[in-house]
Amino acid sequence: MITFKDVSKTFTIGKREVHAVRNVNLTIEEGEIFGIIGFSGAGKSTLLRLVNVLENPTAGAVEVQGVDLASLRPTEVRKVRRRIGMIFQNFNLLTSRTVAGNVAYPLKLAKMPRAKIKERVEELLRFVGLSDKAKDYPEQLSGGQKQRVGIARALATSPDILICDEATSALDPDTTGEILRLLKKVNKEFGITILLITHEMHVIQSICDKVAVMEDGEVIESGGVFDTFTSPAHQTTKRFIRSVQQDLPSPSLLDEWRQKGGKQLYRIIFKGEVASDPVLSRVTRKHDIDVNIVYGSVQEIQAKFYGNLLVSFDGDVGKTANAVEELNEIVQIEEVDVTWA
Amino acid sequence: MGVDWQTFWPRIVEATGQTILMVAVTLVIGSIFGIIIGLLLFVTRKGNILENAFLYQIINFLINIIRPIPFIIFLVAISPLTREVIGTTIGTWAAIFPMSIAAAFSIARVVENNFISIDPGVIEAAKAMGASPLQIIYTILIPEALGPLVLGLTFITISLIDFSAMAGTVGGGGLGHVAMTYGYQRFDTSVMIVTVVILIVLVQLAQWVGNTLSRKILRR
Ligand SMILES: Nc1ncnc2c1ncn2[C@@H]1O[C@H](COP(=O)(O)OP(=O)(O)OP(=O)(O)O)[C@@H](O)[C@H]1O
Ligand SMILES: [Mg+2]
């Protein structure tokens, strides 16, 4: 659906060159929710803006639905943009128009007949739950409501693709959840492919199917959200994951643990269905030792369980070794060296 | 010495009419050209929808040389051109010509500033929705800037009343001319007071209309 082929974008400011995007190769498939995550300045917005030709690549090619965007004339570019809805961190609503006027705007640009516009606007406002706000002006709305208008407006021309530039970054956690659910609904009900960028791992975790991690203009890691989440390859990816899931207690707590003569710690990672099995208790009971869960969490990622626990065992050393060996056949288990912490 | 109010009133009324005519016509002509020039200036800016460094520099230069010239000097300086275009340098229409030029360039700057203060994100959103540069101009730039633009034009209108009085002193007619011939040259205080009061009323009226309109547009 969207293909980046060796895409680079370099800005030249005077004599200085900024390599905002470097040699990016990515494919976004039809119907998926694809998230791009990265810290500020990683080049996410620039990459996104290449998709609807708000920027042009300095090297490589961006293809949307099989068409190389660089081959298009300006009028064709404008047609393609109607197939790609866009929403923004700051909503970018037209202050001189009402909510209904904002949603009607892209339809007017597309020269839809008046009566049809009215019908379509009502339908869209119903979809985003803002029918009662049709006559209000943007300044009378809350952030979440403004983003709903932004979404309704982006969906007006029935696009195939929706691109979102930090759509929830200006919103509080509750409202973020609301908007994310709405985006999921857009994806499910209309089959619209969503490409979103964010710096919040939480956004990726809650709605994305696939993720790409960007750093310094490059895509350093990409793949399914569950796989990337549960076995990250890159240090930056690990940092993002740690922002939603603490996998090690603070150094001071670890210190206390050591001073009190704390036992060897093991990290146990459950993936998928295994997490629901009472594995731990079964194996430890069998080997006649006790398990002590020191730290950790069990989370849901893409409708699958993901558990990351820090445990220690009480009991005979030999029995413990046997238990660990048996556990290793069912789940991922490793000794944790806390001396460096 | 005093004036014969019986014959003087009609003169006052006529002069007020001339002032209003000068200001109104100048405002219309100045706004048309001012908005066009201001728009060109804005869209040809660096990074804007019709970026064109050459055009931008030329317009910017023109505005920068015309705006700082005191109006009374500008009036005299372009009088040869006024004679070419209008046929005379005396009378209401001969005053409107230089006033319109000066107004157009002042309005151009006001217009440019109002456009600059529009959130660039909104322009980008329109682009992303498939708007052409022309559509961006008349569906985004003008409606989004209209409220502050009306306030800017109100400000210009008031300085036009000022300009018209100056034009009056060099043969442009209107209240400036009356004040000059009766008040200044004949030391008639009552005439002075009457013209001043009328000018104040005109300014208040212009301000009130401007405020009301912009409040309607801005909804506050
Ligand atoms: N129009 C531009 N001109 C010059 N440099 C630019 C331009 N747009 C972006 N850049 C630069 O490119 C780099 C990447 O910017 P970009 O906005 O894509 O980052 P981002 O990942 O979206 O960051 P953020 O999370 O802060 O939005 C930055 O160094 C930025 O300064
Ligand atoms: Mg950004």
Side-chain angles (χ1 to χ4, degrees), chain A residues 222-250:
Chain A
S222 71
V225 169
F226 189 81
D227 293 339
T228 308
F229 216 88
T230 54
S231 39
H234 204 281
Q235 203 51 44
T236 306
T237 316
K238 288 179 190 160
R239 269 174 78 192
F240 275 119
I241 291 167
R242 231 169 277 142
S243 70
V244 285
Q245 167 199 295
Q246 217 57 39
D247 66 349
L248 208 60
S250 66

Side-chain angles (χ1 to χ4, degrees), chain A residues 40-41 43-46 89 165-166 197:
Chain A
S40 186
K44 308 178 296 288
S45 296
T46 307
Q89 175 171 3
D165 190 342
E166 306 265 6
I197 63 175

Side-chain angles (χ1 to χ4, degrees), chain A residues 5-12 17-24 46 50 55-62 70:
Chain A
K5 289 184 179 163
D6 246 339
V7 174
S8 297
K9 172 73 187 181
T10 306
F11 293 105
T12 315
E17 289 196 333
V18 181
H19 300 278
V21 172
R22 307 172 197 241
N23 305 319
V24 168
T46 307
L50 290 166
E55 302 285 3
N56 291 301
T58 37
V62 184

